[in-house]
């Protein structure tokens, strides 16, 4: 078995047996379902304030509520990815736990590459928990038919393709999410302290929001701009707003811009892997 294979097997074992990771997945699944229930409560309050029936609201539908609950849960997912990934490596080095895999003749390059692969798996599994939890509860609470405004069909699911747009938005989030995981791992390889690694990762993901007005045209080329939650141009959020009855959202201009996000995170992903190897090879353990 190669050095990388042994390193990856060890990292995968820790990933599947670490208590904090199991708790994170359960928390995401439960919270996604809770958000769907909370959305129903908000809709009921809105209907009462406007003196209309609950079923007459455009947002009283499976598709917008699945998107909204998932979008809200993704804030927790992105925070958990940063804290669990970026903070783990400096903590292991400070506690001398890092010496164990290296003492088994696993090279530093193989170890950090294996860590990077696991770092891109975590956001995907957490994302899946968010999708499944919100979908199950939304399916229980809401109808999946056309988007209605009273007795009028606002959006026909088959004609407008809201379901297709939502599935596309969910696929669109994959590359920014795995890039976030690998960048968080890189921050862990660069910084000696967990708090610095986590802080640097947070700064990287909130940058689009902080500087959006100044660099609006350039932001689509930044990986975090299309993160499903913190991303200023989140595809998932745009579809959630559109499916709830806002016809001004998800315009053709936005979709053309969002096409950049299918590829823009790739350079950041590659650079992060290279930096991880370079810094970890020189790191004092």
């Amino acid at each position: 078995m190669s050095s990388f294979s042994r390193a990856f097997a060890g990292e995968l074992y820790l990933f599947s047996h670490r208590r904090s990771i199991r708790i994170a997945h359960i928390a995401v699944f439960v919270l996604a379902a809770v958000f769907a229930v909370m959305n129903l409560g908000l809709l009921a309050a809105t209907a009462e304030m406007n003196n209309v029936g609950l079923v007459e609201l455009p947002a009283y539908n499976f598709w917008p509520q699945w998107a909204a609950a998932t979008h809200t849960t993704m804030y927790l997912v992105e925070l958990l990815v940063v804290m669990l990934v970026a903070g783990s490596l400096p903590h292991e080095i400070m506690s001398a736990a890092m010496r164990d895999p290296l003492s088994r003749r696993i090279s530093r390059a193989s170890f950090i590459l294996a860590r990077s692969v696991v770092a891109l798996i975590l956001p995907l599994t957490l994302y899946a928990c968010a999708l499944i939890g919100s979908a199950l509860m939304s399916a229980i609470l809401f109808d999946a038919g056309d988007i209605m405004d009273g007795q009028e069909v606002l959006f026909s699911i088959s004609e407008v393709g809201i379901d297709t747009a939502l599935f596309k938005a969910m696929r669109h989030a994959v590359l920014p999410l795995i890039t976030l995981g690998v960048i968080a791992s890189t921050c862990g390889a660069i910084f000696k302290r967990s708090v610095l690694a986590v802080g640097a990762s947070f700064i990287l993901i909130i940058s689009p929001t902080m500087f959006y007005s100044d660099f609006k045209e350039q932001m689509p080329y930044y990986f975090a701009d299309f993160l499903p939650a913190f991303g200023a141009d989140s595809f998932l959020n745009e579809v959630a707003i559109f499916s709830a009855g806002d016809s001004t959202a998800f315009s053709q201009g936005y979709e053309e811009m969002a096409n950049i996000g299918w590829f823009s995170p790739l350079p950041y992903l590659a650079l992060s892997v290279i930096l991880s190897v370079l810094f970890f090879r020189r790191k004092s353990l």
Side-chain angles (χ1 to χ4, degrees), residues 19-100:
R19 184 169 178 266
S20 59
I21 292 180
R22 290 201 302 269
I23 292 175
H25 284 82
I26 295 171
V28 167
F29 180 87
V30 172
L31 196 62
V34 169
F35 279 138
V37 176
M38 291 175 62
N39 287 344
L40 177 61
L42 291 173
L43 287 175
T46 301
E48 186 174 351
M49 289 177 57
N50 294 310
N51 197 28
V52 297
L54 181 60
V55 296
E56 296 179 26
L57 296 176
Y60 186 77
N61 187 280
F62 167 79
W63 300 106
Q65 294 309 314
W66 184 23
T70 302
H71 172 255
T72 307
T73 309
M74 290 309 295
Y75 283 100
L76 175 63
V77 169
E78 291 167 23
L79 292 174
L80 285 173
V81 168
V82 168
M83 290 187 292
L84 292 173
V85 176
S88 63
L89 190 58
H91 175 74
E92 291 171 17
I93 293 174
M94 290 187 68
S95 64
M98 188 56 59
R99 296 174 186 173
D100 176 56

Side-chain angles (χ1 to χ4, degrees), residues 7-16 21 85 112-125 181-182 185:
F8 180 66
E11 288 299 301
L12 203 58
Y13 177 84
L14 291 175
F15 174 80
S16 60
I21 292 180
V85 176
I112 199 64
L113 286 174
R115 176 63 62 97
S116 297
V117 173
V118 173
L120 66 82
I121 294 175
L122 177 62
L124 294 181
T125 55
V182 176
S185 178

Side-chain angles (χ1 to χ4, degrees), residues 77-225:
V77 169
E78 291 167 23
L79 292 174
L80 285 173
V81 168
V82 168
M83 290 187 292
L84 292 173
V85 176
S88 63
L89 190 58
H91 175 74
E92 291 171 17
I93 293 174
M94 290 187 68
S95 64
M98 188 56 59
R99 296 174 186 173
D100 176 56
L102 298 181
S103 66
R104 290 183 280 124
R105 302 176 70 179
I106 295 175
S107 69
R108 291 193 177 200
S110 295
F111 177 83
I112 199 64
L113 286 174
R115 176 63 62 97
S116 297
V117 173
V118 173
L120 66 82
I121 294 175
L122 177 62
L124 294 181
T125 55
L126 290 174
Y127 185 30
C129 287
L131 289 172
I132 295 170
S134 57
L136 288 176
M137 188 55 69
S138 296
I140 293 171
L141 299 175
F142 303 99
D143 179 66
D146 295 333
I147 309 296
M148 306 291 293
D149 187 2
Q151 300 299 319
E152 179 186 354
V153 177
L154 195 61
F155 295 129
S156 172
I157 297 298
S158 59
E159 293 179 5
V160 179
I162 288 178
D163 52 347
T164 303
L166 181 53
F167 291 137
K168 184 177 181 180
M170 291 174 176
R171 295 194 305 272
H172 192 271
V174 170
L175 186 55
L177 281 173
I178 64 176
T179 303
L180 172 63
V182 176
I183 287 178
S185 178
T186 302
C187 289
I190 294 174
F191 295 97
K192 291 184 178 181
R193 295 184 178 276
S194 296
V195 65
L196 293 177
V198 172
S201 300
F202 278 140
I203 291 173
L204 290 173
I205 67 173
I206 65 174
S207 294
T209 304
M210 296 169 59
F211 304 108
Y212 189 80
S213 59
D214 297 323
F215 301 97
K216 184 176 181 180
E217 299 298 323
Q218 292 76 31
M219 277 303 170
Y221 296 94
Y222 185 61
F223 85 96
D225 188 48

